[in-house]
């Protein structure tokens, strides 16, 4: 780390004071997940399946329940942490910094300030610079992603649908939007960057930073509706650094095979032969027709 106090994101711009919770360190830790798949799990058996299949990390969540969704029971986090050796991510409600403090004390490796839970404070997101561990934050467009990064997010989750239906359309639309805006920015004249940053409501210095980089200044995973190897490879070919996979894949007849196929697709996303092998025997349509039979679309 630089002795002069400069902290960089991808070696480019000052973000925070290195003497308190250095952003460069947290961004570097998050980069260790690049090129991997993160699986949502709600039990020790699911966590072990994900680990054995080759997941780079797991998101620990509780089974679906009615009412307000809050942070997970810390005891479940501790149990799963003892059972597996891969990094563990746990969710805190948007703006609920006390939930984040508790999760940090429990010893999770990453905190996801997640819109998948009930919102605690939709006007004031957590100041993630106050924490020593990396935060993951969701976004649907470039401006939102850069606002979360300014708040201290070390990893972005470009989020699509939240229902667990296996529909990738919204995720695809949001990923294309982010990548398209970055390409547009890369071709802009320097004088146009000010107006562009104002239009997308993003910090100018971060907008100026990604112009020559041609990518977000932190790792960017896709999430929502990714349930097959082909879905995962599609996100990777569009420029994402990895994928989040929902717990619905554990409801299929062979969750290990599906998880392994998705991981192989992420690692070999440009090789159609590997992708074809990963898709063999998954009975994709049957699994999801059974799971959502009778549900409204």
């Amino acid at each position: 780390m630089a002795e002069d106090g400069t902290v960089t994101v991808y070696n480019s711009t000052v973000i925070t004071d290195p003497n308190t919770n250095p952003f460069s360190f947290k961004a570097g830790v998050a980069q260790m997940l690049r090129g991997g798949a993160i699986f949502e799990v709600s039990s020790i058996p699911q966590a072990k399946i994900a680990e054995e299949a080759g997941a780079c990390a797991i998101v620990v969540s509780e089974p679906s329940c009615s009412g307000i969704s809050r942070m997970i029971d810390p005891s479940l986090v501790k149990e799963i942490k003892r059972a597996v050796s891969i990094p563990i991510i746990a969710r805190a409600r948007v703006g609920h910094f006390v939930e984040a403090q508790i999760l940090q004390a429990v010893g999770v490796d990453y905190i996801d300030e997640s819109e998948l839970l009930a919102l605690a404070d939709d006007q004031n997101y957590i100041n993630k610079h106050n924490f020593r561990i990396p935060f993951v934050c969701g976004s649907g467009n470039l401006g939102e992603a850069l606002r979360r990064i300014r708040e201290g997010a070390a990893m972005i989750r470009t989020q699509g649908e939240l229902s667990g239906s296996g529909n990738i359309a919204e995720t695809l639309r949001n990923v294309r939007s982010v990548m398209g805006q970055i390409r547009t920015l890369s071709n802009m004249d320097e004088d146009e960057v000010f107006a562009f940053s104002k239009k997308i409501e993003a910090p100018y210095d971060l907008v100026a930073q990604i112009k020559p980089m041609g990518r977000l200044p932190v790792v960017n995973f896709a999430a929502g509706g990714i349930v097959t190897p082909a879905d995962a490879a599609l996100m990777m070919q569009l420029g994402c650094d990895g994928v989040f996979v929902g717990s619905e894949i554990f409801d299929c007849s062979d969750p290990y095979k599906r998880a392994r196929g998705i991981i192989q697709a992420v690692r070999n996303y440009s090789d159609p032969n590997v992708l074809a092998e990963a898709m063999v025997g998954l009975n994709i349509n049957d699994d999801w027709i059974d799971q959502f039979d009778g549900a409204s679309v």
Side-chain angles (χ1 to χ4, degrees):
M1 187 176 296
E3 295 293 330
D4 60 0
T6 301
V7 174
T8 63
V9 184
Y10 280 80
N11 302 319
S12 225
T13 191
V14 174
I15 294 294
T16 190
D17 182 358
N19 296 319
T20 59
N21 303 292
F23 184 86
S24 59
F25 172 78
K26 291 182 281 190
V29 170
Q31 281 200 61
M32 295 171 64
L33 304 179
R34 192 173 183 179
I38 300 172
F39 288 78
E40 180 180 352
V41 304
S42 57
S43 66
I44 291 176
Q46 290 180 357
K48 288 184 175 179
I49 290 172
E51 182 179 38
E52 290 169 5
C56 67
I58 54 175
V59 179
V60 180
S61 65
E62 295 195 52
S64 299
C65 59
S66 58
I68 295 175
S69 53
R70 300 178 175 87
M71 63 167 278
I72 192 170
D73 183 343
S75 64
L76 179 58
V77 174
K78 291 179 179 178
E79 290 174 5
I80 293 179
K81 190 175 178 66
R82 286 193 293 265
V84 299
S85 58
I86 56 177
I88 291 179
I89 304 171
R91 294 177 178 137
R93 283 180 282 175
V94 169
H96 205 311
F97 55 84
V98 174
E99 286 188 347
Q101 290 169 356
I102 294 169
L103 291 173
Q104 180 171 263
V106 168
V108 300
D109 299 287
Y110 301 83
I111 297 173
D112 187 340
E113 186 177 15
S114 180
E115 68 280 11
L116 279 72
L117 305 181
L119 300 183
D121 187 347
D122 61 352
Q123 298 299 312
N124 300 284
Y125 280 69
I126 296 171
N127 180 355
K128 292 160 274 290
H129 295 295
N130 289 336
F131 293 81
R132 65 177 180 271
I133 61 176
F135 270 73
V136 182
C137 283
S139 72
N141 56 64
L142 180 59
E144 187 176 10
L146 295 180
R147 291 194 295 274
R148 300 291 83 83
I149 294 169
R150 168 57 69 232
E151 295 161 359
M155 179 178 182
I156 291 297
R157 167 175 41 79
T158 299
Q159 183 67 49
E161 64 91 29
L162 304 176
S163 66
S165 66
N167 187 350
I168 202 174
E170 186 177 352
T171 307
L172 181 60
R173 181 167 57 250
N174 291 344
V175 168
R176 283 193 178 277
S177 172
V178 170
M179 300 305 177
Q181 285 183 304
I182 291 175
R183 286 194 298 271
T184 298
L185 173 62
S186 296
N187 292 319
M188 281 184 179
D189 184 272
E190 294 289 345
D191 294 337
E192 298 174 315
V193 177
F194 289 100
F196 181 77
S197 63
K198 184 177 181 180
K199 179 181 178 180
I200 65 173
E201 300 179 340
Y204 167 76
D205 60 327
L206 291 181
V207 174
Q209 179 187 354
I210 67 175
K211 181 183 183 325
M213 292 171 55
R215 57 157 295 133
L216 287 179
V218 299
V219 287
N220 176 26
F221 276 44
I226 299 169
V227 295
T228 72
D231 293 340
L234 175 61
M235 296 296 103
M236 298 299 291
Q237 289 194 30
L238 288 174
C240 292
D241 297 311
V243 297
F244 279 83
V245 183
S247 60
E248 59 267 22
I249 71 150
F250 294 102
D251 296 328
C252 70
S253 57
D254 191 345
Y256 174 82
K257 184 174 183 178
R258 188 183 296 277
R260 185 61 184 168
I262 290 172
I263 290 164
Q264 288 296 101
V266 169
R267 294 174 178 173
N268 303 276
Y269 60 87
S270 60
D271 188 336
N273 294 317
V274 174
L275 300 178
E277 291 181 10
M279 292 288 289
V280 170
L282 293 184
N283 296 319
I284 294 160
N285 292 332
D286 290 342
D287 287 338
W288 258 259
I289 288 172
D290 290 343
Q291 185 178 349
F292 294 98
D293 186 30
S296 58
V297 178

